[in-house]
């Protein structure tokens, strides 16, 4: 991330894409489920780190504000696409910019076919949010 930001300092947003490792009480993988733009989709979860784990992270409040705006844009377009925003003590490299987030695209129980519509919804919401500024 740091090398790319050094090479392209105008990059405003850094996203770290993952899928959640959600399991039930018996250790079975859990799938998330919703409808995004009429398609069966996995849910998204925005994860925002803080500096409470001890590492410096001066941007975390900006990241949290960005996460809240993105979650609102996602939910307005595709109600139910988002799981609750997850605020954590770790910083997850989110100190790099004031608009950095970790995004869980579904979970290990979801298929690629369900993750793709969720990712497309994320892309559309990001485009709307970033072009409004």
């Amino acid at each position: 991330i740091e090398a790319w930001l050094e090479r392209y300092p105008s990059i405003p947003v850094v996203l770290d894409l993952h899928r959640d490792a959600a399991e039930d009480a018996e250790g079975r993988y859990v799938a998330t489920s919703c409808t995004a733009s009429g398609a069966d989709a996995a849910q998204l979860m925005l994860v925002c780190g803080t500096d409470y784990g001890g590492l410096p992270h001066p941007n975390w409040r900006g990241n949290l504000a960005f996460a809240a705006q993105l979650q609102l844009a996602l939910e307005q377009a595709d109600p139910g696409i988002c799981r609750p925003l997850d605020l954590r003590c770790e910083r997850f490299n989110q100190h790099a910019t004031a608009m950095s987030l970790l995004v869980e695209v579904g979970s290990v129980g979801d298929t690629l076919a369900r993750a793709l519509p969720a990712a497309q919804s994320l892309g559309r919401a990001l485009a709307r949010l970033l072009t409004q500024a």
Side-chain angles (χ1 to χ4, degrees):
I1 293 169
E2 291 171 356
W4 282 103
L5 289 172
E6 185 175 322
R7 186 170 178 186
Y8 303 102
S10 64
I11 292 174
V13 176
V14 173
L15 298 179
D16 189 358
L17 299 176
H18 291 255
R19 60 182 179 166
D20 197 1
E23 296 179 346
D24 66 14
E26 286 77 42
R28 293 179 300 234
Y29 294 140
V30 175
T32 62
S33 134
C34 68
T35 302
S37 299
D40 186 31
Q43 286 183 301
L44 300 169
M45 182 170 65
L46 306 179
V47 179
C48 187
T50 67
D51 59 4
Y52 288 102
L55 292 174
H57 186 0
N59 297 323
W60 80 265
R61 287 175 182 84
N63 291 343
L64 180 58
F66 175 60
Q69 291 171 343
L70 180 56
Q71 182 129 348
L72 179 61
L74 283 159
E75 285 294 322
Q76 287 174 334
D78 292 309
I81 187 83
C82 290
R83 295 167 56 198
L85 195 140
D86 191 0
L87 189 62
R88 304 248 188 110
C89 293
E90 302 85 3
R91 69 179 186 181
F92 303 111
N93 292 317
Q94 294 175 5
H95 62 290
T97 72
M99 292 192 293
S100 294
L101 294 174
L102 190 151
V103 181
E104 303 275 8
V105 181
S107 70
V108 292
D110 287 302
T111 63
L112 178 60
R114 291 180 59 180
L116 289 174
Q120 290 168 341
S121 180
L122 175 64
R124 286 189 299 271
L126 277 168
R128 281 191 312 276
L129 192 60
L130 295 174
T131 56
Q132 290 175 4

Tab-separated table of all heavy atoms in Angstrom, residues 5 12 21 40 46 60 71 79 100 106 112:
chain	number	residue	atom	x	y	z
A	5	LEU	N	0.929	4.220	-2.798
A	5	LEU	CA	0.593	5.596	-2.423
A	5	LEU	C	1.754	6.547	-2.678
A	5	LEU	O	1.539	7.712	-3.014
A	5	LEU	CB	0.143	5.654	-0.966
A	5	LEU	CG	-1.214	5.035	-0.683
A	5	LEU	CD1	-1.481	4.977	0.813
A	5	LEU	CD2	-2.323	5.797	-1.398
A	12	PRO	N	-7.270	8.230	-3.344
A	12	PRO	CA	-8.022	8.652	-2.166
A	12	PRO	C	-8.529	7.500	-1.292
A	12	PRO	O	-8.748	7.672	-0.101
A	12	PRO	CB	-9.205	9.414	-2.758
A	12	PRO	CG	-9.436	8.744	-4.073
A	12	PRO	CD	-8.082	8.298	-4.562
A	21	ALA	N	-14.510	-15.266	7.878
A	21	ALA	CA	-14.312	-16.672	8.261
A	21	ALA	C	-15.383	-17.102	9.260
A	21	ALA	O	-15.110	-17.832	10.205
A	21	ALA	CB	-12.915	-16.857	8.845
A	40	ASP	N	-29.299	-12.962	-6.123
A	40	ASP	CA	-28.907	-13.601	-4.867
A	40	ASP	C	-27.454	-13.218	-4.610
A	40	ASP	O	-26.590	-13.416	-5.472
A	40	ASP	CB	-29.068	-15.119	-4.995
A	40	ASP	CG	-28.814	-15.846	-3.699
A	40	ASP	OD1	-29.082	-15.268	-2.625
A	40	ASP	OD2	-28.343	-16.998	-3.754
A	46	LEU	N	-18.367	-3.894	6.437
A	46	LEU	CA	-17.299	-2.906	6.465
A	46	LEU	C	-16.632	-2.966	7.834
A	46	LEU	O	-17.310	-2.936	8.868
A	46	LEU	CB	-17.855	-1.514	6.202
A	46	LEU	CG	-18.691	-1.365	4.927
A	46	LEU	CD1	-19.201	0.061	4.780
A	46	LEU	CD2	-17.895	-1.784	3.714
A	60	TRP	N	-8.391	7.180	11.864
A	60	TRP	CA	-9.471	6.217	12.066
A	60	TRP	C	-10.845	6.861	12.126
A	60	TRP	O	-11.813	6.277	11.644
A	60	TRP	CB	-9.199	5.312	13.263
A	60	TRP	CG	-9.474	5.845	14.630
A	60	TRP	CD1	-8.601	6.437	15.484
A	60	TRP	CD2	-10.721	5.793	15.329
A	60	TRP	NE1	-9.208	6.767	16.657
A	60	TRP	CE2	-10.518	6.377	16.593
A	60	TRP	CE3	-11.980	5.322	15.013
A	60	TRP	CZ2	-11.533	6.495	17.536
A	60	TRP	CZ3	-12.986	5.434	15.955
A	60	TRP	CH2	-12.762	6.019	17.202
A	71	GLN	N	-21.748	2.732	3.907
A	71	GLN	CA	-22.799	1.804	4.345
A	71	GLN	C	-24.183	2.378	4.012
A	71	GLN	O	-25.059	1.659	3.541
A	71	GLN	CB	-22.686	1.523	5.848
A	71	GLN	CG	-23.725	0.538	6.340
A	71	GLN	CD	-23.137	-0.589	7.146
A	71	GLN	OE1	-21.941	-0.787	7.181
A	71	GLN	NE2	-23.992	-1.347	7.783
A	79	PRO	N	-31.126	-2.555	0.051
A	79	PRO	CA	-31.411	-2.778	1.469
A	79	PRO	C	-31.075	-4.216	1.894
A	79	PRO	O	-31.413	-5.169	1.203
A	79	PRO	CB	-32.915	-2.516	1.579
A	79	PRO	CG	-33.218	-1.605	0.426
A	79	PRO	CD	-32.283	-2.036	-0.672
A	100	SER	N	-9.766	4.541	4.133
A	100	SER	CA	-9.297	3.159	4.021
A	100	SER	C	-10.216	2.262	4.827
A	100	SER	O	-10.596	2.606	5.944
A	100	SER	CB	-7.878	3.018	4.569
A	100	SER	OG	-6.947	3.710	3.799
A	106	GLY	N	-18.999	-11.257	1.737
A	106	GLY	CA	-19.527	-12.563	2.095
A	106	GLY	C	-18.656	-13.253	3.113
A	106	GLY	O	-17.891	-12.618	3.852
A	112	LEU	N	-18.611	-17.914	-5.120
A	112	LEU	CA	-18.189	-16.807	-5.978
A	112	LEU	C	-19.401	-16.194	-6.670
A	112	LEU	O	-19.487	-14.970	-6.809
A	112	LEU	CB	-17.172	-17.304	-7.012
A	112	LEU	CG	-16.672	-16.273	-8.018
A	112	LEU	CD1	-15.983	-15.104	-7.330
A	112	LEU	CD2	-15.744	-16.922	-9.034
